[in-house]
Amino acid sequence: MSRKEAILNAALELFNETNTQSATTNHIAKSMGISPGNLHYHYKNREEIIRLLYKKLVDEMSLSVEELPRTLAQLLEHEKTLIEVQWKYRFFFKEILFLFSRDKELEALYIKDNIAHKERITQVMQNLEKGGELMIPDSETLAFLVDSVLLSWQFYNSHLHTLGEEIDTCSAHKVIEYTNAAMRPYIIKKES
Amino acid sequence: MSRKEAILNAALELFNETNTQSATTNHIAKSMGISPGNLHYHYKNREEIIRLLYKKLVDEMSLSVEELPRTLAQLLEHEKTLIEVQWKYRFFFKEILFLFSRDKELEALYIKDNIAHKERITQVMQNLEKGGELMIPDSETLAFLVDSVLLSWQFYNSHLHTLGEEIDTCSAHKVIEYTNAAMRPYIIKKES
């Protein structure tokens, strides 16, 4: 692993453990046993590091449109993958709006990606309807289902945190129960 | 209004405009035309100010158990009141997990209140069922409905923000459409 890459990993670990304000570039350098100057040779500031971590997050979660889930079973597998990525970069979702208020470039980047993500979720719901697995009665219900998936993917762990629940790789999967419950009234039961 | 109270109001305004890290106690003092020393005569630090603002938020939203909504129409009115409070203290919900990571006392306080809040929402859903307005088929559905209300109250505005939607007092009410859509399949239609 290159030094540049190793710095990103060390930053990710510290951000997840504490928060992006406590973990300064000096702390990140210290945790690796390198000088602050060496870190700043690779990265201008903490904002640059956070932006690059965000780009890695996007790379890890992005699926091309061809790969979008076409069945409920595929959607479940897809959700599991996204939850793993969310967990890996959990500092980001904990601080998301605070990070936006400090870095408008990051905010613009995220919003653009998120709008595209929302369009893909809409596409998935419409695929499930075409495939006879979901019955979506009207556009309000479609909007609600899409909202449920996106809202909970971004904020369900934060929600659990506000109730004092321990968040770990296991509990991070609870969001699946939430999205399943949102879809349940609209799932078409197959005759067996 | 006392100087002590005026400082809280000035802090709230600055926190909502920027974020709690950019708005230092020096900035708050400056915005009021008082000296930092004068501010620190009233408040030890920014954490104390944030904690007091949180307590005001709780005072404004708390309803005694006797006052809990017993019909869907009352629930709607209740939601509108809570949304106004949420909007007034919006910095808090934007930064909530970041604030917790900086102030464990605030975190413990919030979690305790939020667990009680969740119990009240559960009570409301059960009241609506007893009153013949909701048909809740099982405990998973009850958990989902309670989760929907609490998750969206805390994070729906943040969710809209991540999609680049302008948040104002008007759009802050969109969360009602979300919770209505979550309840819709379980609402018992009255014969007219």
Side-chain angles (χ1 to χ4, degrees), chain B residues 137-151:
Chain B
D138 49 42
S139 59
E140 285 79 17
T141 303
L142 177 62
F144 166 72
L145 293 173
V146 172
D147 252 5
S148 290
V149 171
L150 191 54
L151 168 69

Side-chain angles (χ1 to χ4, degrees), chain A residues 25 39-49 51:
Chain A
T25 46
L39 185 147
H40 284 290
Y41 170 79
H42 294 286
Y43 297 106
K44 210 174 108 201
N45 53 31
R46 190 162 36 182
E47 276 63 45
E48 190 186 348
I49 294 176
R51 241 177 277 135

Side-chain angles (χ1 to χ4, degrees), chain B residues 2 5 15 18 31 59 82 121 181 191:
Chain B
S2 71
E5 185 73 13
F15 292 162
T18 58
S31 82
D59 284 347
L82 290 189
I121 298 172
E191 306 283 333

Side-chain angles (χ1 to χ4, degrees), chain B residues 122-156:
Chain B
T122 307
Q123 188 65 58
V124 170
M125 291 299 157
Q126 287 169 333
N127 287 347
L128 293 177
E129 189 173 34
K130 274 182 211 143
E133 292 202 85
L134 277 190
M135 203 289 289
I136 303 175
D138 49 42
S139 59
E140 285 79 17
T141 303
L142 177 62
F144 166 72
L145 293 173
V146 172
D147 252 5
S148 290
V149 171
L150 191 54
L151 168 69
S152 64
W153 181 68
Q154 295 186 108
F155 296 107
Y156 199 78

Side-chain angles (χ1 to χ4, degrees), chain A residues 58-70:
Chain A
V58 172
D59 284 346
E60 292 178 33
M61 69 175 265
S62 68
L63 284 179
S64 69
V65 174
E66 285 74 25
E67 292 170 303
L68 282 182
R70 303 204 145 256

Side-chain angles (χ1 to χ4, degrees), chain B residues 87-103:
Chain B
W87 172 252
K88 184 172 170 189
Y89 297 93
R90 57 194 174 277
F91 82 93
F92 190 86
F93 294 91
K94 271 192 205 172
E95 297 187 26
I96 186 162
L97 264 66
F98 175 70
L99 294 175
F100 289 176
S101 72
R102 293 186 73 88
D103 185 350

Side-chain angles (χ1 to χ4, degrees), chain A residues 96-158:
Chain A
I96 186 162
L97 264 65
F98 174 70
L99 294 175
F100 289 176
S101 72
R102 294 185 72 88
D103 184 351
K104 292 295 156 194
E105 189 181 328
L106 177 71
E107 180 180 35
L109 210 60
Y110 186 92
I111 288 175
K112 187 171 160 283
D113 292 337
N114 203 37
I115 290 171
H117 188 187
K118 186 177 173 178
E119 280 164 15
R120 285 194 298 274
I121 298 172
T122 308
Q123 188 66 58
V124 169
M125 292 298 158
Q126 288 169 332
N127 287 347
L128 293 176
E129 189 173 35
K130 274 183 211 143
E133 293 202 84
L134 278 188
M135 204 288 290
I136 303 175
D138 48 41
S139 59
E140 285 79 15
T141 303
L142 178 62
F144 166 73
L145 292 174
V146 172
D147 252 5
S148 291
V149 171
L150 191 54
L151 168 68
S152 63
W153 181 69
Q154 295 186 108
F155 296 107
Y156 199 78
N157 277 353
S158 296

